[in-house]
């Protein structure tokens, strides 16, 4: 299952002409070359996964992955195919710690208080890897009693999961102390940097907090403002190629606003 899944503490930043120099000045150590990889993202019609901040993807060379908010995510209304008209976003995982009951439709909508935002743009996600773990989480979230499928691939059609995005990333990775820095270039002409640290669930809130500080420190040293939210590759891809899906997720507060210049090739 996803209980021992690593927690990824991550901050995105803009890569500029001075980023490489700043990295070497920090004593960055090169990590082994990663071959370019294709990510294919999936969601159900109505974007129930994305609206709940849950991201299913197949990453070339690594297999199936599910990124979930650190905490206990639920789908909006526990409904795998919510109505298009009035999306009621799932509230931030950090405020939602009651056990999920995805199979039973809830009579009341989720609380409407604003999600508790971390003081910076650092994001904290749980990552579940591999067919068995991803299938288990997916069926739980979608309220399907059991998983008769042997692979995520075989479960896509029966669960109503459809591709939303597909793109290739070229990635260079270095390490600055405990922080991993990735410089990404996507094949649709968008690049960004990510500073991240992986912690285990056993480490608890304290480890997450310390990782957050280190990740912010590296970004500051690279000249980036840790409060600024930089659009991810998926946000920019969707803004360009899936405007309706992008709008649904924007309205649910799940994707960053993509500026004009990032929309243009
Ligand atoms: C988590 C998430 C999305 C899925 C893609 O995650 P991302 O970290 O952008 O992808 P990538 O390729 O860097 O994955 P990695 O190799 O690090 O695992 S799409 C939107 N979100 C939520 C989100 C958000 N709304 N804002 C920011 C700044 N990050 C993530």
């Amino acid at each position: 299952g996803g209980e021992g899944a690593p927690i990824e503490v991550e901050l995105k930043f803009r890569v500029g002409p001075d980023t490489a120099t700043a990295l070497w000045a920090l004593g960055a150590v090169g990590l082994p070359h990663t071959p370019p990889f294709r990510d294919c993202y999936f969601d159900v019609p109505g974007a129930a996964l994305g609206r709940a901040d849950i991201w299913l993807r197949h990453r070339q060379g690594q297999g199936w992955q599910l990124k979930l908010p650190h905490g206990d995510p639920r789908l909006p209304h526990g409904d795998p195919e919510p109505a298009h008209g009035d999306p009621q976003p799932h509230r931030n995982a950090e405020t939602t710690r009651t056990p999920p009951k995805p199979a039973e439709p809830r009579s009341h909508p989720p609380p409407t208080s604003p999600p508790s935002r971390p003081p910076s743009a650092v994001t904290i996600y749980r990552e579940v890897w591999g067919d068995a773990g991803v299938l288990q989480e997916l069926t739980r979230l979608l309220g399907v009693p059991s998983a008769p499928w042997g692979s995520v691939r075989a479960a896509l059609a029966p669960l109503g999961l459809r591709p939303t995005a597909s793109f290739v990333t070229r990635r260079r990775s270095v390490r600055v102390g405990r922080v991993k820095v990735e410089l990404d270039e996507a094949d649709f002409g968008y690049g960004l940097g990510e500073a991240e640290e992986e912690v285990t669930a056993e480490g608890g809130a304290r480890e997450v907090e310390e990782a957050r500080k280190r990740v912010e420190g590296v970004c500051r040293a690279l000249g980036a403002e840790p409060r600024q939210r930089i659009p991810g590759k998926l946000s920019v891809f969707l803004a360009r190629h899936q405007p309706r899906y992008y709008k649904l997720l924007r309205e649910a507060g799940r994707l960053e606003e993509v500026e004009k210049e990032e929309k243009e090739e």
Side-chain angles (χ1 to χ4, degrees):
E3 296 318 311
I7 293 158
E8 188 193 69
V9 180
E10 183 187 279
L11 187 53
K12 295 173 163 57
F13 62 89
R14 288 188 197 284
V15 177
D18 301 328
T19 305
T21 314
L23 275 173
W24 305 134
L26 285 174
V29 176
L31 289 173
H33 169 75
T34 320
F37 54 88
R38 178 174 290 280
D39 284 326
C40 297
Y41 285 87
F42 295 82
D43 203 340
V44 292
L49 289 184
R51 285 163 60 208
D53 204 12
I54 295 162
W55 309 94
L56 171 66
R57 74 180 171 208
H58 183 271
R59 175 162 287 184
Q60 188 180 4
Q62 296 184 350
W64 289 96
Q65 305 174 340
L66 203 55
K67 281 181 94 149
L68 310 105
H70 177 42
D72 207 348
R74 282 179 295 184
L75 297 196
H77 302 144
D79 180 355
E81 294 195 8
H84 272 265
D86 180 29
Q88 178 64 250
H90 147 89
R91 289 302 158 197
N92 188 297
E94 291 172 66
T95 65
T96 314
R97 297 200 178 276
T98 46
K101 291 174 184 159
E104 296 167 21
R106 294 206 305 274
S107 49
H108 300 292
T112 50
S113 58
S116 67
R117 280 275 163 234
S120 77
V122 168
T123 56
I124 305 168
Y125 284 88
R126 188 159 61 93
E127 288 196 340
V128 177
W129 292 50
D131 277 273
V134 169
L135 268 177
Q136 188 185 318
E137 285 283 344
L138 265 183
T139 50
R140 184 179 74 90
L141 288 161
L142 294 170
V144 179
S146 68
W149 312 285
S151 67
V152 176
R153 182 71 65 190
L156 291 178
L159 291 178
L161 289 158
R162 297 178 193 171
T164 57
S166 174
F167 51 84
V168 172
T169 298
R170 290 176 183 279
R171 170 169 284 181
R172 284 176 294 153
S173 305
V174 300
R175 186 168 289 288
V176 179
R178 292 170 68 165
V179 177
K180 193 174 172 188
V181 176
E182 293 168 339
L183 304 180
D184 283 359
E185 201 63 56
D187 63 353
F188 54 91
Y190 179 66
L192 82 163
E194 293 177 358
E196 63 181 60
E197 218 180 284
E198 257 183 28
V199 301
T200 57
E202 294 75 54
R206 199 191 138 142
E207 260 209 44
V208 169
E209 209 36 52
E210 286 169 359
R212 182 208 295 273
K213 282 181 196 148
R214 285 189 293 266
V215 160
E216 288 177 353
V218 167
C219 276
R220 266 195 215 94
L222 295 176
E225 169 55 56
R227 287 175 179 278
Q228 218 185 330
R229 289 180 83 87
I230 305 301
K233 300 182 291 290
L234 183 61
S235 296
V236 177
F237 183 95
L238 294 176
R240 289 184 193 172
H241 300 294
Q242 296 272 37
R244 284 184 55 224
Y245 181 63
Y246 172 77
K247 190 162 174 275
L248 259 178
L249 296 178
R250 272 295 295 160
E251 284 163 0
R254 293 301 168 218
L255 294 176
E256 309 76 24
E257 186 169 6
V258 174
E259 290 165 22
K260 260 244 157 74
E261 59 265 32
E262 285 157 346
K263 272 184 174 172
E264 286 159 11
E265 293 275 343

